[in-house]
């Protein structure tokens, strides 16, 4: 199960935005004279491009945890809503006794092509509903408030940020934890305005005259190669 990709409309919208005439007309003089094009990397949790303000637009799979086991491999039995958010921490149709007590997602996980990692600093975790979130690996909690946690990454590594749901409220309709967003603190206002793309990513793209979206759309050539 991949978070927030059950309906890929946002991805199609992103392609349309980046390829729209208005965006092309905003190119710099250097871009207009550029002879270079570039393939965009596939949209994955380990992509080094970090194209989106909200890191949870980079799809990853829920991992089921117990106190004794990192991955109990019960992901297929999670009680998920149509958008991929866990409605409860109770397994559905699990043929064996349930082991997991929490679920987590980890992003981003790969060091960048430039030899570094994703940006350090403070991140905001914004969410709807009620429950408890925990943060591990590179992340530590700075402060908590309903619908808004502040976390800090003092040193970014290839481990990434683990966002773990340890409790959620399944008893009232629409009250379970959902619509979780992970954004750099300085980009909060841009996200609230509806901005989708990371400005640093857009600045990189302005160096190229043409963009190829094959991997973004998870397409393969007729010969079966990427």
């Amino acid at each position: 199960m991949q978070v927030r990709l059950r309906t890929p409309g946002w991805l199609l919208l992103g392609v349309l935005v980046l390829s729209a005439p208005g965006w092309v007309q905003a190119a710099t003089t250097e871009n207009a004279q550029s002879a270079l094009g570039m393939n965009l990397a596939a949209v994955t949790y380990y992509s080094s491009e970090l194209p989106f303000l909200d890191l949870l637009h980079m799809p990853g799979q829920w991992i089921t945890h117990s106190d004794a086991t990192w991955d109990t491999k019960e992901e297929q039995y999670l009680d998920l809503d149509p958008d991929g958010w866990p409605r409860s921490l109770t397994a559905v149709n699990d043929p064996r006794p349930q082991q997991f007590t929490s679920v987590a997602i980890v992003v981003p996980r790969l060091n960048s092509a430039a030899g570094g990692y994703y940006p350090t600093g403070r991140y905001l975790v914004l969410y709807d509903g009620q429950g408890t979130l925990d943060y591990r690996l590179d992340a530590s909690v700075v402060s908590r408030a309903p619908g808004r946690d502040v976390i800090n990454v003092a040193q970014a590594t290839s481990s990434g940020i683990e966002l773990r749901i340890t409790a959620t409220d399944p008893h009232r309709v629409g009250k379970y934890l959902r619509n979780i967003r992970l954004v750099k603190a300085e980009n909060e206002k841009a996200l609230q305005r509806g901005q989708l793309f990371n400005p640093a990513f857009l600045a990189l793209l302005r160096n190229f005259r043409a963009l190829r979206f094959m991997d973004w759309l998870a397409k393969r050539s007729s010969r079966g190669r990427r």
Side-chain angles (χ1 to χ4, degrees):
M1 179 60 62
Q2 291 187 335
V3 180
R4 305 187 75 174
L5 279 182
R6 295 289 294 272
T7 303
W10 65 267
L11 182 57
L12 177 59
L13 174 62
V15 173
L16 292 175
V17 168
L18 284 178
S19 58
W23 190 88
V24 174
Q25 292 172 4
T28 64
T29 302
E30 291 78 9
N31 173 281
Q33 300 301 317
S34 174
L36 298 177
M38 184 177 71
N39 286 309
L40 297 182
V43 181
T44 67
Y45 67 91
Y46 52 82
S47 172
S48 60
E49 289 181 351
L50 300 180
F52 304 111
L53 290 180
D54 179 2
L55 292 183
L56 289 193
H57 276 318
M58 300 171 65
Q61 183 174 351
W62 291 113
I63 304 169
T64 51
H65 295 305
S66 72
D67 292 339
T69 305
W70 162 259
D71 183 0
T72 65
K73 302 187 183 303
E74 296 171 280
E75 291 80 10
Q76 66 269 39
Y77 305 116
L78 287 173
D79 177 18
L80 303 175
D81 72 9
D83 293 319
W85 301 112
R87 285 181 289 215
S88 72
L89 294 179
T90 301
V92 177
N93 299 323
D94 194 339
R96 58 182 180 175
Q98 178 179 336
Q99 300 179 62
F100 73 89
T101 56
S102 62
V103 297
I105 192 167
V106 181
V107 291
R109 299 194 68 176
L110 188 70
N111 62 307
S112 74
Y117 297 98
Y118 66 97
T120 59
R122 293 198 172 185
Y123 288 78
L124 302 180
V125 180
L126 310 173
Y127 61 89
D128 298 335
Q130 299 176 4
T132 304
L133 290 166
D134 191 16
Y135 309 98
R136 304 187 184 188
L137 301 179
D138 292 348
S140 60
V141 177
V142 175
S143 64
R144 296 181 183 271
R148 177 190 177 92
D149 291 347
V150 181
I151 62 176
N152 186 61
V153 174
Q155 181 176 357
T157 73
S158 59
S159 296
I161 298 170
E162 181 191 286
L163 186 155
R164 185 181 297 206
I165 298 176
T166 59
T168 191
D169 185 352
H171 302 295
R172 288 179 289 173
V173 175
K175 291 299 183 181
Y176 55 89
L177 286 174
R178 65 202 186 282
N179 191 27
I180 303 172
R181 289 139 286 158
L182 175 62
V183 62
K184 283 283 285 170
E186 58 265 31
N187 291 329
E188 179 185 15
K189 291 183 178 179
L191 186 70
Q192 290 174 342
R193 291 194 300 267
Q195 184 170 328
L196 178 62
F197 294 104
N198 181 350
F201 174 69
L202 294 181
L204 170 65
L205 298 189
R206 292 183 185 277
N207 295 312
F208 302 93
R209 186 177 181 85
L211 302 174
R212 190 169 185 241
F213 287 87
M214 183 179 72
D215 287 344
W216 262 48
L217 298 176
K219 298 296 184 182
R220 293 182 180 273
S221 73
S222 60
R223 296 185 180 180
R225 295 182 297 176
R226 298 293 287 189

